[in-house]
Amino acid sequence: MMYTNHVEQRLDASGALVGDSFWQIQICPFFLQWALPRPRKSWYTRAISRTFWKTWTVVLAEKIVTFTRYTPIDGASLFDKVMLHELTHANVDGRFGTIDVDLDNGPAYGWKNCRILSTSTPTNNDGPAQNADTWALFGSIAWQIQEGLIAGVTDKGQLIKV
């Protein structure tokens, strides 16, 4: 979908600096097409113009994924949330930059894993404040509340309607 890459300055054979140090976010073209043209800001919404079977298959697959690993807040404003996640990895002068904190079952992506992380004891600066998805979820929820799209989020990651 997206990932962040830090390109650092290098020295050539003569010792001169080559290139600049910058942060670069790579975005998969398929993800752009899939996540952006939504009539509503949710991963389980589909345009009516698609065929019945294609829509049914996609919606069913997304519902299964939603109920097993993710929650509705994970899919709401998905592109914006993923972009914010990647932007939090970048830092200025090393003062701030998140990581993808690792839990026993993989990176702490999504509401369920961020909730688990919030109740764990951080070690080596790998707590919820350093986790990129924690910040992305916070930003996504705050924006949606400010825009009047939702009233809040339950402990289970369900959207509270306005």
Side-chain angles (χ1 to χ4, degrees), residues 30-82:
F30 171 77
F31 180 63
L32 280 173
Q33 292 175 347
W34 183 76
L36 284 179
R38 301 281 185 202
R40 287 188 6 205
K41 298 178 184 316
S42 174
W43 67 2
Y44 48 83
T45 305
R46 290 284 174 237
I48 297 173
S49 62
R50 295 184 182 189
T51 65
F52 171 77
W53 288 109
K54 184 175 182 180
T55 301
W56 185 82
T57 304
V58 170
V59 169
L60 180 62
E62 289 177 351
K63 291 290 185 188
I64 291 170
V65 169
T66 297
F67 288 122
T68 58
R69 180 156 170 98
Y70 296 106
T71 64
I73 192 58
D74 295 316
S77 299
L78 183 62
F79 180 84
D80 300 330
K81 187 176 92 55
V82 174

Side-chain angles (χ1 to χ4, degrees), residues 16-17 47 61 67 107 115 119 135 142 144:
L17 284 175
F67 288 122
R115 295 273 300 167
T119 60
W135 287 100
Q144 290 179 73

Side-chain angles (χ1 to χ4, degrees), residues 43 70-78 80-86 88 108-117 128 131-145 150 152-154 157-159:
W43 67 2
Y70 296 106
T71 64
I73 192 58
D74 295 316
S77 299
L78 183 62
D80 300 330
K81 187 176 92 55
V82 174
M83 179 61 80
L84 183 56
H85 171 110
E86 294 304 327
T88 64
Y109 295 149
W111 181 263
K112 291 177 184 177
N113 284 332
C114 286
R115 295 273 300 167
I116 292 169
L117 185 62
N131 187 43
D133 236 39
T134 303
W135 287 100
L137 282 163
F138 171 77
S140 176
I141 293 166
W143 175 79
Q144 290 179 73
I145 290 171
I150 62 173
V153 180
T154 68
Q158 301 296 317
L159 306 175

Side-chain angles (χ1 to χ4, degrees), residues 9-31:
Q9 294 179 334
R10 299 171 303 283
L11 298 176
D12 65 9
S14 68
L17 284 175
V18 177
D20 292 322
S21 177
F22 58 91
W23 291 90
Q24 178 179 7
I25 296 176
Q26 298 287 325
I27 305 172
C28 171
F30 171 77
F31 180 63

